[in-house]
Amino acid sequence: MKSICKHLALIWIALVSSCCLAQSASVSGKVTENGTPLPLANVLLKGTEYGAATDIDGNFTLDAVAPGDYVLLVTSLGYQPYQTKIKLGADTTKTINIQLEASAQSLDETVVTGTLKPVNRLESPVPVEVYSPTFLKKNPTASVFDALQNVNGVRPQINCNVCNTGDIHINGLEGPYTLVLIDGMPIVSGLGTVYGLTGIPNSLIEQIEIVKGPASSLYGSEAVGGLINIITKNALSAPEFFADGFITGWGEYNLDVGSKIAVGKKTDLLLGINYFNFDVPIDNNGDNFTDLTLQDRISLFQKWDFERKDARLFSLAGRFFYEDRWGGEMQWTPEFRGGDEIYGESIYTRRWEILGKYQLPFSEKLLLSFSYNDHNQNSVYGDTEYLADQRIGFAQLTWDKSSGNHDLLLGSAIRYNYYNDNTPATPTADNIWIPSLFVQDEFTFAPKHSFLAGMRFDHDQRHGNIFTPRAAYKWKISDHDIFRVNAGTGFRVVNLFTEDHAALTGAREVIIAEELKPERSYNINLNYLKKIYSDNGTFIGLDASAFYTHFNNVILPNYETNPNHIIYDNLEGKSVSKGLSTNLDVVFPSSFKIMVGATWQDVSTTENGISQQQILTESITSTWNLSYTFHSLKLTADYTGNLYGPMRLPLLGDLDPRRANSPTWSIQNIQFTFKGLNNFEVYAGIKNLLDWTPNRGNPFIIARANDPFDKDVTFDANGNPVATADNPYALTFDPTYVYGPNQGIRGFFGIRYTVF
């Protein structure tokens, strides 16, 4: 009897189990990012114990799930959380494929710019801001230069209403104080600042790292106000093929095309081409000058990555850049180039670059880095010709060594600068070698505390020995809270004519008051970084900083003493940049994302006891990015914008009727991206929704646009213009009164195609 009961019980259990299994459901699928599988992503049904991690191919399966309504949540470090509602019936298998989007400003990325070695961003003693290609796609632009308008505390400054060349301001400091690097190599400076941020296909960029504050102890001259490091993709992780093209309502065309090619078994080649064209003269403000410079440019980029024994690094990259740009009177044609009949500014630029990294075949971490660039510029500004050549060579050897609680970096670098132009200020070519030695030690003296000390020694034959120390303290309060203090010095060796477009317009004479000394800066920066992960999948990131920089021997152009002169001199006083900055990054499980940044800054110069705001420096700046994905429609909406507070503007005299200070102004954009087609993204939107241009509230922007060669201006015995019936404000031609883009509202449409 017991035996019969036992068998009946086993049969009953088997039947019940079979019935339960028949009533269960399962969920499977694949998690990717732009088609690339994401391993180790967390997949779970909220409020339950059902969960799994994706495998190396991005696949996951949740078995034996009870029927019902659930919320599927997918999370992965560095990516925006994904969540969707699913309904599971009895005895069903549901397949769902999920595409995650990289976080625009992740707090868990690897950075190299702050310390010259790869380190997790949270572990870096130097605050580094990181921006991914996803960030660049929120407001598609034809260059990195334009894309940086949505980075808090960073402003692309247009320096001329006619040719539209510009530079990058960090925390209110002039463009020459910003060092631009590509893959960590300082190949861009002086003449090439704007060109270093133009022509690199955005699809080839792995990430952009920004350090605010002096970094001369690692990078030498120019790294005074901060630096921007554009890191390109490794060929091994790049897509097989990509194409990205867009057109705007103003008639701008931009095309990025690239491909990865396997060359043998151990070599991969990454090719990229960027082409941009705008050839429609537009004069919406009615001054007979082009509102936007006409441009025709092409950039060719290639990067070779070689597989070596023990995963040692060896990469070699090169870029060729050519651009023909002009702006001026609407009736200008190339036959007027260099003449005094019709005013035009025409710039032919040819530039090529090569850079590489090679890890030496030793057990120690010895890395040789090198770069070289050749920049040729053939320009005319009215009837003033400017012909210049610049060549910069750079080589650096670093030794990365860890010993106990010490993480050491020792290095030696040599930089070669060649510069020559046809101006009277350069009677002979500059031909300078600058050798350097530097050392850095990060010492962990307690489980949550570390201290970094570094110093650099440069020898410049023009200025002698230059010593730049730095120090940084990091307190890791918790895994989600970091407090940092950074202090350092910077220096800059100046070559005026490579940096200040106003000196080349032909409208003013350049006066150099004395032999210029190197500028020096002293900086302290406090930074607090916090990230919060809530139980419902919401992520909050906070990054707040306070900064103070003091300059000695600062060189500022004096536009105000004489309207016909630009006077350069070392300031007999001080220049100070101080302020507060914060970034807030919030990601909700619903795929709604908020990025907001704001900076208050006070940049002033003090001479003879009188302090005043630096020209063309805003008091406040704010940036934002609101993004939401409609998963059922496979559509993402991005609303981006920036706001800049008042800045002092360069007037030509007491009678000048233009605003002495700019208003608070804003550029706002909206974009919609559809991802419902395999390998394709279609995007469209509107730029400058408010149709804002700087001529609002001003009688004119370009002074004496009707007489660009000053043929009808009367001057007194001292060379100062005199008010006349034809010239009631006593002005001369001057296009340097510029603080924002002249380009108004416009639509855009684009398509991306990517094959992995």
Side-chain angles (χ1 to χ4, degrees):
M1 187 66 178
K2 287 183 178 180
S3 177
I4 295 173
C5 290
K6 182 177 180 181
H7 282 88
L8 288 174
L10 290 174
I11 293 172
W12 172 253
I13 292 173
L15 290 172
V16 170
S17 299
S18 176
C19 181
C20 290
L21 287 174
Q23 294 297 314
S24 67
S26 66
V27 184
S28 63
K30 188 170 187 175
V31 179
T32 61
E33 191 261 334
N34 282 335
T36 302
L38 283 180
L40 301 179
N42 295 312
V43 183
L44 59 91
L45 300 180
K46 291 179 65 174
T48 75
E49 296 182 354
Y50 301 115
T54 57
D55 61 20
I56 193 171
D57 296 318
N59 297 314
F60 70 91
T61 300
L62 303 179
D63 287 323
V65 180
D69 296 331
Y70 297 95
V71 174
L72 180 71
L73 176 65
V74 182
T75 60
S76 181
L77 286 177
Y79 295 88
Q80 299 181 27
Y82 173 93
Q83 114 176 343
T84 186
K85 294 180 179 179
I86 60 174
K87 183 178 182 65
L88 298 177
D91 196 21
T92 62
T93 299
K94 188 174 185 63
T95 301
I96 179 169
N97 292 322
I98 298 157
Q99 180 169 298
L100 296 186
E101 293 187 6
S103 175
Q105 190 178 9
S106 173
L107 300 180
D108 295 279
E109 291 165 318
T110 298
V111 297
V112 298
T113 306
T115 59
L116 273 182
K117 58 174 66 180
V119 61
N120 184 284
R121 185 183 174 211
L122 287 176
E123 301 300 328
S124 173
V126 178
V128 180
E129 295 184 14
V130 182
Y131 298 91
S132 71
T134 301
F135 175 84
L136 302 179
K137 292 179 180 179
K138 302 294 183 182
N139 178 33
T141 61
S143 69
V144 179
F145 177 84
D146 293 324
L148 292 176
Q149 65 184 278
N150 288 327
V151 176
N152 180 32
V154 177
R155 182 170 70 86
Q157 167 65 37
I158 302 297
N159 291 331
C160 175
N161 275 301
V162 179
C163 72
N164 295 155
T165 54
D167 51 34
I168 298 294
H169 291 200
I170 293 181
N171 287 344
L173 298 179
E174 295 286 339
Y177 297 103
T178 299
L179 179 63
V180 179
L181 307 100
I182 299 178
D183 287 336
M185 291 291 95
I187 64 173
V188 181
S189 64
L191 273 173
T193 299
V194 65
Y195 302 103
L197 293 170
T198 302
I200 300 177
N202 289 345
S203 300
L204 291 181
I205 296 175
E206 181 70 24
Q207 63 189 38
I208 299 174
E209 299 181 5
I210 299 176
V211 174
K212 299 173 182 176
S216 291
S217 63
L218 283 182
Y219 295 98
S221 179
E222 281 95 39
V224 177
L227 56 89
I228 299 171
N229 189 7
I230 302 170
I231 299 175
T232 59
K233 289 183 180 292
N234 186 299
L236 298 174
S237 60
E240 294 290 339
F241 176 82
F242 68 86
D244 185 351
F246 69 81
I247 182 174
T248 75
W250 273 47
E252 300 163 282
Y253 300 87
N254 186 77
L255 177 65
D256 290 343
V257 178
S259 179
K260 178 173 68 174
I261 302 171
V263 183
K265 294 182 179 180
K266 296 186 177 182
T267 305
D268 284 280
L269 170 63
L270 185 61
L271 291 174
I273 301 174
N274 169 257
Y275 178 71
F276 177 81
N277 180 269
F278 172 67
D279 60 2
V280 183
I282 295 176
D283 178 26
N284 287 339
N285 60 17
D287 60 5
N288 195 42
F289 271 74
T290 53
D291 292 344
L292 181 66
T293 303
L294 281 72
Q295 303 170 54
D296 188 24
R297 70 167 179 258
I298 187 167
S299 177
L300 308 176
F301 179 89
Q302 62 175 285
K303 184 176 183 180
W304 298 74
D305 285 286
F306 303 91
E307 184 179 340
R308 298 176 59 211
K309 184 179 179 181
D310 299 325
R312 292 191 178 98
L313 177 66
F314 181 28
S315 67
L316 189 65
R319 184 170 75 116
F320 174 78
F321 177 97
Y322 178 80
E323 181 182 65
D324 175 2
R325 70 161 59 200
W326 76 268
E329 294 186 89
M330 293 290 288
Q331 64 270 33
W332 188 92
T333 56
E335 53 263 31
F336 293 106
R337 191 176 196 267
D340 62 356
E341 297 178 55
I342 305 297
Y343 188 89
E345 297 187 359
S346 171
I347 304 173
Y348 302 147
T349 301
R350 188 192 73 247
R351 178 182 180 89
W352 62 271
E353 305 160 349
I354 186 170
L355 60 152
K357 294 185 177 182
Y358 180 78
Q359 186 176 349
L360 300 182
F362 299 109
S363 57
E364 298 290 339
K365 296 180 181 178
L366 290 168
L367 182 65
L368 175 65
S369 306
F370 55 90
S371 66
Y372 181 83
N373 74 75
D374 185 294
H375 186 109
N376 175 268
Q377 189 160 316
N378 180 327
S379 311
V380 293
Y381 302 87
D383 57 358
T384 300
E385 189 177 52
Y386 174 64
L387 307 175
D389 285 294
Q390 178 176 274
R391 302 174 197 130
I392 298 177
F394 183 83
Q396 176 176 273
L397 180 65
T398 56
W399 177 31
D400 184 355
K401 178 70 174 178
S402 296
S403 178
N405 294 334
H406 294 269
D407 192 358
L408 292 164
L409 180 74
L410 294 91
S412 177
I414 187 165
R415 177 168 174 163
Y416 169 70
N417 285 355
Y418 172 89
Y419 176 77
N420 195 19
D421 65 29
N422 65 321
T423 68
T426 312
T428 59
D430 284 341
N431 209 343
I432 306 298
W433 292 87
I434 305 176
S436 310
L437 295 171
F438 58 90
V439 61
Q440 174 181 279
D441 179 22
E442 183 178 358
F443 172 54
T444 303
F445 58 89
K448 296 184 178 181
H449 301 269
S450 64
F451 181 78
L452 181 145
M455 63 185 70
R456 183 184 181 100
F457 174 83
D458 292 81
H459 178 75
D460 188 310
Q461 63 193 65
R462 299 163 296 181
H463 305 292
N465 299 326
I466 303 173
F467 176 67
T468 48
R470 78 186 300 200
Y473 164 71
K474 184 190 72 176
W475 176 21
K476 189 174 182 180
I477 304 170
S478 71
D479 289 340
H480 299 159
D481 295 83
I482 304 291
F483 176 72
R484 302 178 177 99
V485 180
N486 275 254
T489 62
F491 76 94
R492 185 171 72 102
V493 178
V494 179
N495 191 326
L496 294 178
F497 293 91
T498 67
E499 297 164 350
D500 198 328
H501 169 80
L504 305 171
T505 62
R508 295 179 183 235
E509 180 183 356
V510 176
I511 305 296
I512 300 177
E514 63 179 355
E515 184 178 352
L516 300 176
K517 304 173 184 177
E519 297 181 340
R520 298 299 301 262
S521 70
Y522 306 89
N523 168 275
I524 186 168
N525 179 292
L526 307 179
N527 175 259
Y528 175 65
L529 186 65
K530 182 175 181 63
K531 59 178 183 175
I532 302 170
Y533 295 96
S534 67
D535 292 338
N536 68 352
T538 300
F539 166 78
I540 301 174
L542 175 67
D543 188 343
S545 296
F547 57 89
Y548 179 91
T549 304
H550 179 104
F551 289 89
N552 289 340
N553 298 330
V554 66
I555 300 170
L556 293 175
N558 180 348
Y559 297 90
E560 299 168 322
T561 299
N562 187 321
N564 291 316
H565 293 164
I566 302 175
I567 303 172
Y568 292 94
D569 194 1
N570 284 111
L571 182 71
E572 292 183 4
K574 65 178 181 179
S575 179
V576 171
S577 170
K578 58 185 177 182
L580 302 171
S581 179
T582 184
N583 289 307
L584 180 66
D585 189 2
V586 183
V587 181
F588 296 96
S590 62
S591 297
F592 180 49
K593 180 176 176 59
I594 302 173
M595 284 184 64
V596 179
T599 298
W600 167 82
Q601 59 195 18
D602 180 8
V603 183
S604 63
T605 57
T606 302
E607 192 167 23
N608 300 323
I610 300 175
S611 297
Q612 60 180 345
Q613 181 186 10
Q614 184 172 295
I615 284 180
L616 295 175
T617 302
E618 66 276 14
S619 301
I620 58 171
T621 179
S622 178
T623 59
W624 63 86
N625 180 349
L626 307 181
S627 179
Y628 184 77
T629 298
F630 303 89
H631 290 289
S632 60
L633 301 176
K634 298 184 179 180
L635 185 71
T636 299
D638 291 292
Y639 170 50
T640 60
N642 52 54
L643 181 144
Y644 300 111
M647 61 182 75
R648 192 164 67 92
L649 302 174
L651 299 180
L652 296 183
D654 294 336
L655 299 178
D656 194 331
R658 295 174 294 183
R659 290 173 179 261
N661 294 280
S662 73
T664 299
W665 53 280
S666 175
I667 300 290
Q668 301 177 26
N669 321 285
I670 191 165
Q671 174 187 253
F672 296 93
T673 305
F674 177 68
K675 300 180 180 179
L677 302 175
N678 190 32
N679 297 330
F680 281 94
E681 291 183 10
V682 180
Y683 57 94
I686 300 174
K687 291 180 180 289
N688 198 353
L689 283 166
L690 304 180
D691 197 23
W692 179 89
T693 55
N695 59 298
R696 287 190 181 181
N698 273 308
F700 51 84
I701 296 296
I702 299 177
R704 297 286 295 176
N706 63 318
D707 183 22
F709 296 99
D710 291 337
K711 293 181 179 180
D712 296 324
V713 177
T714 301
F715 297 92
D716 63 18
N718 295 321
N720 296 314
V722 177
T724 63
D726 180 64
N727 187 15
Y729 305 120
L731 304 178
T732 57
F733 173 72
D734 192 88
T736 60
Y737 182 96
V738 57
Y739 57 93
N742 283 323
Q743 204 172 9
I745 188 171
R746 60 205 182 276
F748 65 93
F749 174 81
I751 298 176
R752 299 186 185 99
Y753 176 69
T754 307
V755 179
F756 287 90

